[in-house]
Amino acid sequence: IKTRIVLNTDLSYVLETKYLGKDDTVFQTKGTFKWDESGSKITLDNSDKQIYQVGENKLFHLDKNGNRITGNLEDNYNLQKEKIELTDKYWKLVRLNGKQVKAGSREPFIRFYAKDSQVNGNSGCNSFNGKYELSEGNKIKFSPFAMTKMACMDNNTEEEFMKVLEKTTSYSLISNELVLQDEYETTLAKFEPDFFK
């Protein structure tokens, strides 16, 4: 089971799980958590009352008695803190020129690969791929993209999305978000990572 937990400072959490090798369904639970008296363990308020020991940049899923799980599978119960980086992540487009992106038949996204500075994605209709170039000061430049040429009747984002990529000159990673900006530092697009794709 692939697991992702977001712990917030207001003691709320989001737990996402996906059964590997089965369908693509991601199960999400939201709630609150509480610290134990020692300040080293948390308990989620979900139906399983899951307990985790908090380590440096790690969470250890504990058994129902609050003990570490040992044996051949113990590594499967250790969660590493996710570092938000530009590359090798599925970035789902959520805002375009200040407007929320409406879901169509295909989800618009972009993915950057460290190897050979490749980039690919979907415009909400057609797939695209090309290259990107990074320079000092979080500057980014895209090469012209190769695209498929399907006609999608319910697509309202493709043309605008591709124009935004042409105008993009810089990016920033803020909290859990990728922001693309133009030369005037105007926000053109916002993306959120999907850790399950």
Side-chain angles (χ1 to χ4, degrees):
I1 302 172
K2 187 171 183 178
T3 303
R4 178 174 180 256
I5 301 175
V6 177
L7 301 175
N8 299 308
T9 55
D10 65 357
L11 301 184
S12 65
Y13 73 86
V14 179
L15 171 66
E16 295 176 319
T17 55
K18 178 181 176 183
Y19 289 87
L20 300 176
K22 296 195 175 181
D23 62 22
D24 288 336
T25 304
V26 176
F27 299 95
Q28 187 181 84
T29 307
K30 294 181 178 182
T32 59
F33 65 91
K34 64 180 178 184
W35 290 91
D36 71 348
E37 289 179 11
S38 69
S40 64
K41 295 178 184 176
I42 60 168
T43 303
L44 307 186
D45 71 349
N46 59 5
S47 58
D48 295 332
K49 301 291 184 215
Q50 292 170 309
I51 306 169
Y52 292 87
Q53 182 176 352
V54 180
E56 188 165 337
N57 296 322
K58 282 186 181 181
L59 285 179
F60 302 95
H61 191 173
L62 306 177
D63 67 19
K64 291 194 181 297
N65 298 317
N67 300 313
R68 290 278 285 272
I69 297 168
T70 57
N72 293 343
L73 298 176
E74 76 178 277
D75 287 346
N76 293 339
Y77 294 93
N78 299 341
L79 305 178
Q80 301 291 326
K81 185 174 183 181
E82 181 72 33
K83 283 174 60 177
I84 300 298
E85 295 178 356
L86 181 67
T87 56
D88 303 317
K89 292 230 175 355
Y90 181 103
W91 291 102
K92 175 175 69 173
L93 180 65
V94 292
R95 293 190 80 74
L96 192 59
N97 289 322
K99 299 181 297 252
Q100 189 162 354
V101 174
K102 294 181 182 154
S105 58
R106 291 181 177 82
E107 181 173 76
F109 76 93
I110 194 166
R111 193 187 307 252
F112 300 86
Y113 296 91
K115 185 179 180 187
D116 299 329
S117 297
Q118 297 283 330
V119 61
N120 70 19
N122 193 290
S123 65
C125 176
N126 285 287
S127 298
F128 61 85
N129 62 66
K131 289 188 171 269
Y132 68 96
E133 183 182 319
L134 300 179
S135 55
E136 198 174 322
N138 281 5
K139 298 294 183 197
I140 189 167
K141 182 179 179 184
F142 295 104
S143 68
F145 291 108
M147 288 187 75
T148 57
K149 296 190 182 294
M150 293 190 307
C152 300
M153 304 309 288
D154 64 344
N155 184 271
N156 300 320
T157 61
E158 179 170 271
E159 186 176 347
E160 195 175 356
F161 187 16
M162 300 316 291
K163 281 183 181 173
V164 156
L165 294 178
E166 279 178 38
K167 292 196 294 188
T168 295
T169 59
S170 64
Y171 74 95
S172 54
L173 294 169
I174 304 166
S175 184
N176 219 18
E177 204 171 57
L178 165 65
V179 177
L180 299 183
Q181 298 161 315
D182 65 13
E183 61 184 315
Y184 306 107
E185 297 186 2
T186 304
T187 296
L188 302 174
K190 289 186 178 183
F191 301 81
E192 292 177 353
D194 187 328
F195 296 91
F196 293 91
K197 291 187 178 173

